[in-house]
Amino acid sequence: MPRCSRPTGRAPCLGAAPPAASPAGARTRPRPAGPSFAELAAVYGARKMEAYGRFLALLVSALLVGFVSVIFSLVWVFHYREGLSWDGSVREFNWHPVLIITGFVFIQGIAIIVYRLPWTWKCSKVLMKFIHAGLNTIAMILVIVSMVAVFEYHNAGNIPNMYSLHSWIGLAAVIFYSVQLFLGFAVLLLPFAPVSLRRAVMPIHVYSGLTIFATVIATALMGITEKLIFALRSNPAYSESPPEATLVNCLGVLLVIFGILILWMASRPYWKRPPEENAKALLTTGGTPEGTEAESTMTDGGNADKSDLRINSEAARKQNLKLDEAGQRSTM
């Protein structure tokens, strides 16, 4: 037989035996064995949950710090500031810090990370949207009550309104939060907005939500410091670090820690809500059943959320084929 010295991949040399013809009906290019769609989905799910222990530790820490912050605010107003009432006195003003810390900080923080809770990933995305919107609505109601309390207290005591930096930034945060809540309902929750508008609004919604939350933390720190300066002028003075000042300073530190924990959990792309349920539906039915949503969590956190796009069975088969080909390339 003639010897062929040509490198592999070139045309066969003269005299070499031609390749055997493929039988009728057989594939001319057999696909190398590669991971199936189910295997890729399982690997992706395992990668998503590899940091579950860290997430759970951070979540428990955030809940504990937020709850202790609310307790500290109640101890402050009941033990040092005469308690709560609705009579135009300083006791009515005390509703302001308690409701701001409870609603604008603690409940809003929980609303931000509600999509990240792993035990909710089997729930419908629509249900989670309603929970997210409901928590933010509760926070908004508490904020409105706290604003009414502080304005009524100022008006009853002939105290000027809106003269401090705390009041300026705080009112701006409330206005932007209300706009954020309205647009979230109108564009992202109710099924009337076109998909293109949702995709355009989603990154703005995410960024503005985190920005408002960080602004609220900063405004709360300004507010409790301003209150201490006004309330502790003498006997004892704030500069003497009395127990009330120490308690409220610790409250401020807790608010900062809570904000850091929430922002960290909300900004990690590997803790986003994964599309495992979408993959399971594809495997069992060959397509996406009605109501299954295509998640965008395969991509980085900066991409727009495509979870509102419904994909039909043909698109699902294309996605399956694409993942299969990707698995083949990874094994070649």
Side-chain angles (χ1 to χ4, degrees):
M1 294 180 63
R3 300 178 63 182
C4 180
S5 60
R6 292 180 178 273
T8 303
R10 301 289 185 84
C13 57
L14 295 176
S22 301
R27 292 183 179 179
T28 58
R29 297 180 59 189
R31 298 190 306 173
S36 65
F37 183 77
E39 292 170 340
L40 289 176
V43 171
Y44 181 73
R47 179 167 57 86
K48 296 288 289 185
M49 293 300 296
E50 65 183 2
Y52 175 76
R54 280 187 294 155
F55 176 83
L56 190 60
L58 289 174
L59 177 63
V60 172
S61 300
L63 292 175
L64 181 62
V65 172
F67 181 74
V68 173
S69 299
V70 175
I71 296 299
F72 271 36
S73 67
L74 291 172
V75 172
W76 180 28
V77 300
F78 277 103
H79 187 69
Y80 295 103
R81 296 290 109 198
E82 304 179 19
L84 298 170
S85 181
W86 201 270
D87 55 3
S89 66
V90 69
R91 293 188 297 273
E92 182 173 348
F93 173 85
N94 290 341
W95 282 106
H96 181 69
V98 171
L99 295 181
I100 288 294
I101 292 172
T102 303
F104 222 6
V105 177
F106 183 55
I107 296 180
Q108 184 189 179
I110 300 304
I112 288 174
I113 62 170
V114 70
Y115 288 111
R116 303 295 176 109
L117 305 179
W119 49 87
T120 67
W121 289 349
K122 292 184 178 181
C123 299
S124 167
K125 185 67 178 291
V126 176
L127 174 62
M128 299 312 299
K129 285 184 177 182
F130 274 102
I131 295 175
H132 175 76
L135 290 173
N136 280 294
T137 302
I138 294 173
M140 188 73 226
I141 293 173
L142 297 181
V143 169
I144 292 174
V145 175
S146 73
M147 296 293 290
V148 172
V150 73
F151 275 105
E152 284 193 1
Y153 167 71
H154 281 187
N155 294 334
N158 293 323
I159 302 173
N161 292 307
M162 303 302 301
Y163 66 90
S164 65
L165 180 61
H166 165 71
S167 60
W168 290 8
I169 303 298
L171 183 61
V174 172
I175 293 174
F176 281 110
Y177 188 67
S178 60
V179 173
Q180 169 93 338
L181 188 62
F182 172 77
L183 291 179
F185 270 103
V187 178
L188 301 175
L189 183 63
L190 301 180
F192 304 117
V195 172
S196 58
L197 179 59
R198 296 187 180 200
R199 295 175 64 181
V201 168
M202 177 55 69
I204 301 174
H205 180 79
V206 173
Y207 177 79
S208 59
L210 297 179
T211 303
I212 292 171
F213 178 71
T215 303
V216 168
I217 297 289
T219 307
L221 296 178
M222 289 190 289
I224 61 178
T225 303
E226 180 182 293
K227 179 62 178 178
L228 285 179
I229 292 175
F230 289 157
L232 300 178
R233 296 181 179 179
S234 60
N235 297 324
Y238 185 24
S239 59
E240 298 175 3
S241 297
E244 179 181 359
T246 302
L247 174 72
V248 178
N249 286 345
C250 291
L251 171 61
V253 173
L254 291 175
L255 295 179
V256 172
I257 295 174
F258 180 76
I260 291 174
L261 293 174
I262 294 297
L263 293 175
W264 179 261
M265 287 187 288
S267 60
R268 299 303 93 191
Y270 44 84
W271 285 335
K272 292 189 69 174
R273 180 184 171 98
E276 283 92 355
E277 288 303 304
N278 199 33
K280 291 178 183 177
L282 290 173
L283 291 172
T284 55
T285 64
T288 300
E290 185 176 356
T292 303
E293 297 170 333
E295 300 283 351
S296 66
T297 52
M298 284 267 205
T299 60
D300 191 65
N303 292 341
D305 183 5
K306 302 175 184 176
S307 61
D308 296 313
L309 293 175
R310 300 180 182 275
I311 56 176
N312 55 26
S313 59
E314 181 63 27
R317 284 192 292 270
K318 291 180 180 179
Q319 183 183 13
N320 195 347
L321 179 60
K322 183 184 299 183
L323 290 173
D324 198 7
E325 293 175 352
Q328 296 167 13
R329 287 195 298 269
S330 66
T331 59
M332 293 178 63

